[in-house]
Amino acid sequence: MAQERHDDAGTQDDRTQHDGTQHDRTRDDRIREAIAAGTTSLGIELGSTRIKACLIGPDHAPVATGSHDWENQLVDGVWTYSLDAVWAGLQESVATLLDDAERRYGVRPTTFGALGVSAMMHGYLPFDEAGELLVPFRTWRNTSTGRAASELTDKLGFNIPLRWSIAHLYQAILDHEPHVPRIDFVTTLAGYVHWRLTGRKVLGVGDASGMFPIDPATRGYDRTMLAQVDEIVATRRPGLRLEALLPEVLPAGAEAGRLTAEGAALLDPTGTLQAGIPLCPPEGDAGTGMVATNSVAPRTGNVSAGTSIFAMVVLEQPLTRVHHELDVVTTPAGDLVAMVHCNNGASELNAWAGLFGEFATGLGRDAAPDDVFGALFRAALEGDADGGGLLAYNYLSGEPITGLEEGRPLVVRTPGSRLTLANFMRTQIYSAFGTLSLGMQVLAGEGVEIDAMFAHGGMFKTAGVAQRLLAAAIGAPVAVGETAAEGGAWGIAVLAAYLGAAGEQDLPTYLAERVFGDAEVDVVTPDPADEAGFATFLTRYRAGLPVERAATESV
């Protein structure tokens, strides 16, 4: 990847060493000096299963990392994370990163040139005037906002998905929830953490676009739509002004406050970390995924595969009409993006890999998880192009694109289908891309053209498998590069570093020239046989949706 090569670009004397010893020592010295001088940038991302921290040098190369595993919990029917879990995870991620830097370079960081926070987009975090959370955090995974989303979409003529913050707020108003009169401020997870670190109630425009529609001309909340929502809210909650409850919107490159002493203590209770570090605007995981894959310019896009799976395509012009399958959000710079967001991604694949790993252990053949995934994914390439007539749904939770409020993972086959490991695994991977493909077909119907889609996430670790099948599923070239292993955490660290260059270059130019200038990517074009096979599978997938719906009603 570009950042690794930049990290290796020393002096000519460095590069002419025969054994590389002098080169490695000089490289480490440069990193050590950057850490001591505080010219590094720290990015932290709160994902759905891991909180990750990534420290990058002035050349954007990762120099230290830290992480913490966590899981959402279903409490009283609501998918949530506790705020205590947020801070415990952040502190462990930062502590392990500081330890990693000290172990590698003998210097423990006390400050950084810039810092940024990213997290899962959407959801609902309402606070009162005293800064107390009024109801448990409602994450993007909750699908209980159907009436609100429908009414808002009809009123605004703009698709408001179930998971958007405005849908959660309006649903709370419709349901006469007792906390509503006490709301002083509503934000996202990234906005909450940033507020506690800096005292500023702000959001990056990309994250804000998952709360409420953005006007591409002003790159702030759409004022006409704000007035329309105030109008319908007034019949139930007179005097409530939506704009007063939402965070201020900032573009990439704007300074969004500085780390306070209280914020420093929240990140690092040992007192090592100093206050005063500038922060970039907090962003959502979709925005950092765009940065991590250099997909912020028109006709570029990316697919991010994790607990959820979503595609982001930067638009050349607005969509012609409303589509419930497509969100319209923005890049961290404020350019319009069509987003196909599927609630269900790789979790079911992970579950099957775990089962096969247990089977291997039962045979006395212990295998590392990466080895299990590799073997299963490679087997998928040996399967029939259409998956041998098998059908699978990876729906652990509801899936708005296909109109399902709940999910039940299923594997279905006919007596004439061919049940082999290769067909089973190809079908499972196809299933992970099925709903995404349905949304991408809607985008293609709008005449949106894509030069290439960049893919990232654990599914793409096994070279040439998920990448090839994704290309067939979306009918477009798919690129996979050696982008930072820490993904979104690296992306928000890059946005933090961009604070020092925003006055000189726009974000697409900065990424293209300074971050990805020498990057190598592997591009796979759709194989006609795979495309035909996936098309057959998708026809079966559409036809079988009533089976999935019946399962949610009966099981």
Side-chain angles (χ1 to χ4, degrees), residues 48 72 79 121-122 139-145 161-164 168 304-311 325 327 339-348 394-407 431-432 434-436 541:
S48 55
N72 57 186
W79 290 106
M121 290 179 67
H122 319 295
T139 77
W140 58 271
R141 199 171 190 179
N142 292 286
T143 56
S144 58
T145 58
L162 300 177
R163 65 189 177 281
W164 278 32
H168 282 280
S304 176
T307 302
S308 63
I309 184 169
F310 53 85
E325 301 93 343
D327 298 17
M339 180 182 192
V340 180
H341 186 285
C342 311
N343 277 2
N344 298 279
S347 295
E348 186 68 356
N394 65 334
Y395 293 176
L396 281 163
S397 63
E399 193 56 78
I401 287 179
T402 50
L404 290 164
E405 293 187 2
E406 294 185 57
S431 173
T435 309
L436 183 75
Y541 188 87

Side-chain angles (χ1 to χ4, degrees), residues 34-35 38-45 51-58 60-67 89-101 109-118 193-194 197 259 263-264 266-268 272-274 277-283 288 486-499:
I35 293 173
T39 56
T40 56
S41 297
L42 174 65
I44 304 172
E45 181 159 281
I51 300 174
K52 296 180 284 189
C54 180
L55 187 66
I56 64 174
H60 308 100
V63 298
T65 60
S67 67
L90 284 169
Q91 289 169 6
E92 181 176 355
S93 297
V94 171
T96 53
L97 178 138
L98 297 178
D99 289 343
D100 189 38
T110 61
T111 188
F112 312 108
L115 192 158
V117 176
S118 172
V193 172
H194 183 95
L197 297 183
L259 186 67
L266 280 172
L267 285 182
D268 175 30
T272 299
L273 198 58
Q274 299 174 8
I277 301 167
L279 273 77
C280 68
E283 264 300 346
T288 57
E486 296 307 307
W490 179 75
I492 190 65
V494 170
L495 286 174
Y498 178 59
L499 281 176

Side-chain angles (χ1 to χ4, degrees), residues 273-441:
L273 198 58
Q274 299 174 8
I277 301 167
L279 273 77
C280 68
E283 264 300 346
D285 52 352
T288 57
M290 285 187 273
V291 170
T293 54
N294 192 23
S295 305
V296 297
R299 298 175 65 99
T300 65
N302 76 88
V303 172
S304 176
T307 302
S308 63
I309 184 169
F310 53 85
M312 311 284 291
V313 178
V314 186
L315 300 173
E316 296 180 279
Q317 57 192 14
L319 300 177
T320 59
R321 63 187 184 90
V322 175
H323 302 276
H324 83 274
E325 301 93 343
L326 304 176
D327 298 17
V328 178
V329 291
T330 78
T331 70
D335 296 310
L336 290 181
V337 173
M339 180 182 192
V340 180
H341 186 285
C342 311
N343 277 2
N344 298 279
S347 295
E348 186 68 356
L349 275 168
N350 292 341
W352 282 109
L355 179 67
F356 284 117
E358 289 183 32
F359 178 68
T361 299
L363 293 176
R365 304 286 182 87
D366 286 345
D370 283 351
D371 294 334
V372 174
F373 271 105
L376 294 175
F377 272 49
R378 286 188 292 273
L381 294 184
E382 304 301 320
D384 297 333
D386 73 337
L390 304 181
L391 178 60
Y393 294 96
N394 65 334
Y395 293 176
L396 281 163
S397 63
E399 193 56 78
I401 287 179
T402 50
L404 290 164
E405 293 187 2
E406 294 185 57
R408 300 291 186 273
L410 287 180
V411 176
V412 182
R413 66 189 183 98
T414 64
S417 59
R418 295 184 62 246
L419 180 59
T420 65
L421 178 63
N423 283 337
F424 180 83
M425 287 310 303
R426 181 174 282 242
T427 298
Q428 286 295 330
I429 296 173
Y430 276 174
S431 173
F433 298 146
T435 309
L436 183 75
S437 179
L438 296 177
M440 292 298 291
Q441 289 181 358

Side-chain angles (χ1 to χ4, degrees), residues 59-139:
D59 56 7
H60 308 100
V63 298
T65 60
S67 67
H68 168 80
D69 292 335
W70 70 340
E71 286 287 348
N72 57 186
Q73 297 173 335
L74 189 62
V75 179
D76 297 327
V78 174
W79 290 106
T80 188
Y81 300 84
S82 72
L83 297 190
D84 286 344
V86 168
W87 293 110
L90 284 169
Q91 289 169 6
E92 181 176 355
S93 297
V94 171
T96 53
L97 178 138
L98 297 178
D99 289 343
D100 189 38
E102 187 171 28
R103 177 181 60 81
R104 290 171 181 257
Y105 307 107
V107 179
R108 193 169 188 83
T110 61
T111 188
F112 312 108
L115 192 158
V117 176
S118 172
M120 299 168 279
M121 290 179 67
H122 319 295
Y124 184 61
L125 281 157
F127 295 87
D128 63 15
E129 287 186 2
E132 295 297 320
L133 184 64
L134 294 171
V135 295
F137 172 32
R138 297 170 184 175
T139 77

Side-chain angles (χ1 to χ4, degrees), residues 180-308:
V180 171
R182 298 171 54 200
I183 298 175
D184 178 67
F185 171 54
V186 177
T187 191
T188 65
L189 181 56
Y192 162 69
V193 172
H194 183 95
W195 168 40
R196 293 295 306 277
L197 297 183
T198 66
R200 291 195 61 183
K201 298 174 180 178
V202 301
L203 270 190
V205 62
D207 204 14
S209 70
M211 293 192 78
F212 193 85
I214 296 294
D215 181 346
T218 65
R219 309 204 173 197
Y221 300 119
D222 188 298
R223 304 198 67 80
T224 299
M225 294 187 191
L226 284 171
Q228 289 174 309
V229 174
D230 283 346
E231 181 182 314
I232 62 173
V233 167
T235 62
R236 295 176 173 84
R237 184 58 57 185
L240 187 151
R241 286 188 62 251
L242 180 59
E243 188 175 13
L245 305 183
L246 297 175
E248 178 187 357
V249 181
L250 296 175
E255 186 174 318
R258 290 180 175 263
L259 186 67
T260 63
E262 294 80 4
L266 280 172
L267 285 182
D268 175 30
T270 69
T272 299
L273 198 58
Q274 299 174 8
I277 301 167
L279 273 77
C280 68
E283 264 300 346
D285 52 352
T288 57
M290 285 187 273
V291 170
T293 54
N294 192 23
S295 305
V296 297
R299 298 175 65 99
T300 65
N302 76 88
V303 172
S304 176
T307 302
S308 63

